[in-house]
Amino acid sequence: MCGIFAYLNFHANKERRYILDVLFNGLRRLEYRGYDSAGIAIDSSLSQNCPPSSSPPLVFRQAGNIESLVSSVNEEITNTNLNLDEVFYFHAGIAHTRWATHGEPAPRNSHPQSSGPGDDFLVVHNGVITNYEVLKETLVRHGFTFESDTDTEVIPKLAKFVFDKANEGGEQTVSFCEVVFEVMRHLEGAYALIFKSWHYPNELIACKRGSPLLLGVKELDQDKSNTHVFKDAHFLSKNDHPKEFFLSSDPHALVEHTKKVLVIEDEEVVHLKDGGVDILKFERRNGSSRPASVERALSVLEMEVEQINKGKYDHYMQKEIHEQPESLTTTMRGRLIRGGSRKPKTVLLGGLKDHLKTIRRSRRIVFIGCGTSYNAALASRPILEELSGIPVSMEIASDLWDRQGPIYREDTAVFVSQSGETADTLLALDYARENGALCVGITNTVGSSIARKTDCGVHINAGAEIGVASTKAYTSQIVVMVMLALAIGSDTISSQTRREAIIDGLLDLPNKVREVLKLDEEMKDLAQLLIEEQSLLVFGRGYNYATALEGALKVKEVSLMHSEGILAGEMKHGPLALVDENLPIAVIATRDACFSKQQSVIQQLHARKGRLIVMCSKGDAASVSSSGSCRAIEVPQVEDCLQPVVNIVPLQLLAYHLTVLRGHNVDQPRNLAKSVTTQ
C-alpha cells in the first residue's frame, strides 16, 4: 500500500537541491500507493575530518500528502539555512509515502522510522510486520523507547540492537549485510525494506518478502559499454564510472530516470556499495553460513514517461477512461487471428498455448480476485462456461484464504490482479499451488509476483494506470478473459460461428468504446442532478450483474456516495423495500438474453414510483421508458459477452464527474490506495 523510494549517486556530483527534487518526484510518482503522510532522509554536511556520528542524517516527516512534506522541508531549510547548493560526490537518500495501517497519520508515525536518538539506522517499509508486538516487548526490555504506533519502528531498533551486540568489544566488525540478515531472521509478515545508516555511509540495503521492489540503474558515462548482468559487488566496482541507483515500489518512479531495472525477488538482499550491486539470497534456515551470491539480469522497461503524465487531461482517472479505445487495441494486438477464406478466425495467447490441453481437462475453473478484478472475472464467467463446458466458480481471494476452501489438483485457478501484487490474491495463489492446481495469472504488470508465481498467464497490456479507481485495466481484463474463453473453446466445432462473431466484435470494440465516450457531457449533466444524493442503487443481470457491481464500486470509491450493485433477480428479496420517489436507481437493460426480464424490473420499479435511470441499447429508449418517466442512456449494442465493456464506460464517467462536482480528490480517494499489498 505504501510507496518507498531511494536514490544513491556514486562518483556523480549532485547538489542537495537536485537530490531533494529526485526524492520528491519519486514520491509524487508513487503517491497513488498512499498519501496520508510522507517523509525523507538525506545526508547532512559531512566533512572528511569529522566522524559520521557528529553529522547524523537529516530526517523530515510530515502528515498529509507529498506537497505538505515539500512545504515542510522548504520551511525547515529556510529556518536552518541549509545549503541547497552543497555538492555531494556520494549520497544515499530514502523516501516514503504512507497508507496508514498501524497508527494515525502523524509525523511520529511517518517513515523513515528511526532506531532512536542519533538515527543510527533508518528504515522505509511497505508491508506489515505481523510479529511486531513480540519484538517490541523484547526491545523494550532491553531499554529501547518507542515513539510511534507503527509496526515498522521495531525494524530500525532491532538493527541497532544487533549492531550494538555485535560491536560490544568496541571495534566495528559487523557488516551492514550481516545486520540486515539478522534483522530479517526475526521478521514475520510481508515487507519491502530499505535500510540507511551513518555507520555505513554511502550504502543502502534493500530486501523484500511479499511486497514489490525494483532496482533501477543509470550509467552516467556514455562511453561505457552496456553490461547487463550483476554477479557481485566487485563486478561493477572495477571502475569508478559515475552511476545513479534508484529503488522503487514500482516502475512509475523509475522510467523518467532509467529503463534498466532489476525486479527484486522475495528473500533477496540488494546491497548498494562503492558503485556496485551485491545480490544475496536470504535463507531463514541457513544459520550463520554465508548467504549465496545471486546472478541476476537487468531487464528493460517497456514504458514511456508520457504514459505516466496526465497530458491534456485534468486527472489520471479522466485520462484513463478516455484511453480505453487505445488500451483495448493494445490488449488485443497480435492475439486475434483474422483467418482467411479457408482458415477460421482464432485467438492466440502465447502465454497459455502450452497449457490449453490441461485447462480443457480441468474438473472446474476457479476465478480468484478482489474488488474490480473480481468483477471483471464475474463478467467473463458466462462466456467461459458457454464455450468451454467447464463449471466456473468465483472466489473472493480473502474469503478463499480465510475458509481454506477446497482446491484440487484437477482444478485450474485463474488469479486476476491489475498490479499482480495484491496481498490476498497472492496468499490464495500460494494456497492453490500447495494444493496442486494449475495456476493462471492475468495481470497488468510484467514481472509482478503473480506473473512470476503462476504456471502460465496473460498480460493485459493496458498500460500504466495511475488513478486509484481502476478503469482501463477493468475493460482490458474482461477482453483478456473473453479471449481466454475463445482459446479454451477453440477445439469445439459446434461453437465456431459463435466464436467468430465474438472475434469480429472484439475487433470493432475500440470503435464502440470510442462512440460511447461521446456520452461524456450527458453523464456530466446527470452527475449534476445527482450531486446532492446520498445513495444510488444499480440493478444488473446476466453479463451485466458485474457491470452493476463495478459501476456501484466506482461511484462509492471516488465520489464517496453510498452505492450498491444488486442482482436484479434478487430485487423482490429485500431491495424493493428501499424504492421510493427520492432514491435514484440505475437499471442496466441492454439487449441480451435477460432483456425481457429487465423490462419487467423497470415496470415494477416504475409502479413503485422509482426514480429511474435506464441504460439501454441504441434505439430502445422508447421501449424501456414508454411513459417518459425515466432517464435513458443509449449505448451501442455489441456481442452480449462484450456488452459489459461498453456499459461500464458511462458509469465510469458518471463516477468521475460526480467526484469532481462534489469537490473530492478523483485520483486519490479517501482511505484508499492503488496497490493493496497488505491484508
Side-chain angles (χ1 to χ4, degrees):
M1 303 291 278
C2 303
I4 63 178
F5 185 80
Y7 169 63
L8 186 149
N9 57 295
F10 171 78
H11 281 187
N13 288 329
K14 300 295 179 183
E15 296 176 344
R16 180 179 277 121
R17 179 182 287 103
Y18 174 85
I19 292 166
L20 284 170
D21 286 343
V22 170
L23 293 173
F24 288 146
N25 287 332
L27 289 184
R28 289 185 181 105
R29 296 296 190 194
L30 297 173
E31 192 169 17
Y32 69 93
R33 301 179 66 90
Y35 33 85
D36 55 37
S37 52
I40 62 170
I42 58 174
D43 292 340
S44 58
S45 301
L46 188 62
S47 73
Q48 299 294 326
N49 300 320
C50 61
S53 57
S54 65
S55 292
L58 302 175
V59 181
F60 306 91
R61 299 183 295 187
Q62 184 66 31
N65 60 18
I66 307 303
E67 297 314 314
S68 298
L69 173 67
V70 174
S71 298
S72 173
V73 171
N74 287 337
E75 183 178 344
E76 191 159 344
I77 286 171
T78 301
N79 294 338
T80 59
N81 294 318
L82 187 66
N83 183 8
L84 293 179
D85 296 320
E86 183 174 359
V87 175
F88 292 82
Y89 197 46
F90 308 92
H91 185 279
I94 59 176
H96 184 275
T97 181
R98 181 170 182 254
W99 186 86
T101 57
H102 296 73
E104 65 181 359
R108 63 188 175 85
N109 291 325
S110 303
H111 299 205
Q113 284 291 306
S114 171
S115 57
D119 296 325
D120 294 60
F121 290 87
L122 294 168
V123 169
V124 289
H125 170 214
N126 172 30
V128 171
I129 303 303
T130 55
N131 65 329
Y132 81 98
E133 291 177 328
V134 175
L135 294 173
K136 185 173 182 177
E137 290 174 4
T138 302
L139 290 165
V140 167
R141 286 198 301 269
H142 284 88
F144 284 88
T145 301
F146 283 76
E147 300 173 358
S148 78
D149 302 319
T150 68
D151 55 327
T152 304
E153 193 178 1
V154 301
I155 302 171
K157 284 179 164 53
L158 183 56
K160 169 71 169 155
F161 176 75
V162 170
F163 179 84
D164 288 347
K165 279 289 183 184
N167 297 313
E168 284 180 338
E171 186 175 334
Q172 181 171 320
T173 58
V174 65
S175 71
F176 203 177
C177 272
E178 288 170 335
V179 172
V180 172
F181 270 98
E182 188 58 30
V183 169
M184 291 177 69
R185 264 183 250 285
H186 291 84
L187 298 181
E188 296 177 5
Y191 55 76
L193 304 170
I194 304 175
F195 290 79
K196 173 179 171 64
S197 173
W198 56 256
H199 293 288
Y200 306 96
N202 310 317
E203 298 182 37
L204 291 176
I205 289 188
C207 59
K208 71 170 290 266
R209 180 190 300 154
S211 298
L213 194 58
L214 295 91
L215 168 70
V217 182
K218 183 177 183 180
E219 299 277 0
L220 299 180
D221 186 344
Q222 298 302 314
D223 297 327
K224 187 180 188 302
S225 60
N226 185 21
T227 307
H228 273 247
V229 177
F230 292 157
K231 190 165 186 177
D232 55 38
H234 303 292
F235 184 77
L236 286 181
S237 59
K238 292 177 182 177
N239 61 67
D240 290 333
H241 287 283
K243 306 176 186 71
E244 291 178 301
F245 297 100
F246 307 86
L247 291 160
S248 174
S249 293
D250 69 33
H252 299 147
L254 300 179
V255 66
E256 63 188 291
H257 301 290
T258 181
K259 290 191 176 183
K260 289 195 282 185
V261 300
L262 176 79
V263 179
I264 301 172
E265 300 279 1
D266 280 355
E267 313 295 356
E268 286 184 347
V269 175
V270 174
H271 188 190
L272 305 182
K273 180 182 179 182
D274 298 332
V277 179
D278 195 5
I279 306 172
L280 302 172
K281 189 71 173 178
F282 170 75
E283 295 181 10
R284 186 178 294 272
R285 292 166 293 188
N286 203 22
S288 59
S289 62
R290 176 170 172 76
S293 182
V294 178
E295 182 176 306
R296 295 288 309 283
L298 288 171
S299 55
V300 178
L301 279 178
E302 294 182 5
M303 181 186 295
E304 301 298 332
V305 175
E306 290 74 17
Q307 291 181 255
I308 55 175
N309 291 331
K310 293 176 190 172
K312 65 180 181 180
Y313 298 98
D314 295 325
H315 304 95
Y316 282 113
M317 183 180 179
Q318 181 188 28
K319 173 178 180 269
E320 287 152 12
I321 290 171
H322 286 271
E323 280 180 340
Q324 287 177 107
E326 291 73 30
S327 62
L328 291 170
T329 299
T330 304
T331 296
M332 294 183 283
R333 183 171 291 126
R335 291 169 168 172
L336 298 179
I337 311 302
R338 295 174 182 266
S341 57
R342 297 184 180 181
K343 292 184 178 180
K345 298 167 185 172
T346 58
V347 168
L348 176 63
L349 299 176
L352 290 181
K353 63 181 181 179
D354 294 334
H355 296 84
L356 284 176
K357 289 183 179 179
T358 304
I359 297 173
R360 289 171 185 144
R361 292 196 299 267
S362 301
R363 62 185 284 175
R364 64 170 179 165
I365 296 172
V366 186
F367 275 128
I368 301 166
C370 306
T372 287
S373 294
Y374 176 89
N375 294 339
L378 184 64
S380 312
R381 176 172 66 174
I383 191 61
L384 182 54
E385 289 179 327
E386 176 189 339
L387 295 182
S388 71
I390 303 170
V392 179
S393 62
M394 301 294 307
E395 291 283 0
I396 296 174
S398 60
D399 184 52
L400 175 65
W401 171 249
D402 290 343
R403 294 185 352 256
Q404 296 287 287
I407 296 287
Y408 304 104
R409 65 173 60 253
E410 298 89 355
D411 291 339
T412 292
V414 182
F415 296 87
V416 190
S417 168
Q418 187 278 140
S419 67
E421 302 290 350
T422 310
D424 290 321
T425 307
L426 283 169
L427 287 171
L429 170 56
D430 291 338
Y431 174 69
R433 290 176 65 193
E434 289 170 6
N435 284 274
L438 176 69
C439 295
V440 180
I442 295 176
T443 175
N444 194 34
T445 310
V446 177
S448 64
S449 295
I450 286 178
R452 298 195 310 272
K453 288 185 174 184
T454 46
D455 300 302
C456 56
V458 185
H459 289 112
I460 67 172
N461 297 332
E465 191 178 65
I466 308 296
V468 167
S470 181
T471 51
K472 64 178 183 177
Y474 174 75
T475 51
S476 286
Q477 283 173 338
I478 294 175
V479 165
V480 161
M481 286 182 274
V482 169
M483 291 193 292
L484 172 66
L486 291 167
I488 295 171
S490 62
D491 63 336
T492 306
I493 296 176
S494 60
S495 64
Q496 183 173 321
T497 301
R498 167 76 158 146
R499 293 198 309 273
E500 293 199 358
I502 294 170
I503 292 173
D504 287 338
L506 285 168
L507 291 168
D508 194 40
L509 190 59
N511 292 328
K512 298 297 185 185
V513 172
R514 200 171 281 112
E515 185 178 340
V516 81
L517 283 168
K518 295 176 183 177
L519 295 172
D520 193 11
E521 283 300 317
E522 184 177 338
M523 300 316 297
K524 185 176 181 179
D525 293 341
L526 178 58
Q528 191 71 57
L529 296 176
L530 299 176
I531 189 172
E532 299 297 332
E533 300 300 331
Q534 298 300 310
S535 190
L536 173 70
L537 299 185
V538 188
F539 285 97
R541 197 172 197 138
Y543 283 102
N544 285 297
Y545 172 40
T547 307
L549 292 176
E550 178 62 13
L553 177 61
K554 285 294 147 295
V555 169
K556 76 177 68 166
E557 68 181 331
V558 292
S559 74
L560 310 186
M561 175 195 290
H562 169 260
S563 53
E564 187 176 352
I566 300 174
L567 183 64
E570 292 292 298
M571 181 185 68
K572 292 188 285 293
H573 299 281
L576 196 58
L578 297 172
V579 177
D580 60 21
E581 64 273 14
N582 298 313
L583 177 67
I585 302 170
V587 180
I588 303 167
T590 45
R591 289 213 174 243
D592 57 19
C594 298
F595 178 63
S596 60
K597 295 176 183 177
Q598 288 298 80
Q599 283 183 305
S600 176
V601 166
I602 293 168
Q603 293 301 321
Q604 293 175 58
L605 293 171
H606 177 62
R608 288 157 180 82
K609 299 182 180 180
R611 185 179 165 192
L612 299 184
I613 304 159
V614 178
M615 185 184 299
C616 61
S617 299
K618 276 200 170 180
D620 280 346
S623 63
V624 299
S625 179
S626 54
S627 62
S629 59
C630 65
R631 180 167 185 141
I633 302 166
E634 292 190 327
V635 298
Q637 185 173 348
V638 295
E639 286 291 318
D640 54 4
C641 62
L642 303 178
Q643 197 69 52
V645 174
V646 170
N647 290 356
I648 194 59
V649 175
L651 297 175
Q652 293 172 344
L653 291 168
L654 175 64
Y656 169 76
H657 288 300
L658 264 175
T659 308
V660 173
L661 291 170
R662 289 165 74 117
H664 300 308
N665 192 322
V666 176
D667 293 325
Q668 298 172 357
R670 185 176 66 195
N671 300 334
L672 300 179
K674 181 70 174 174
S675 182
V676 186
T677 57
T678 60
Q679 285 185 276

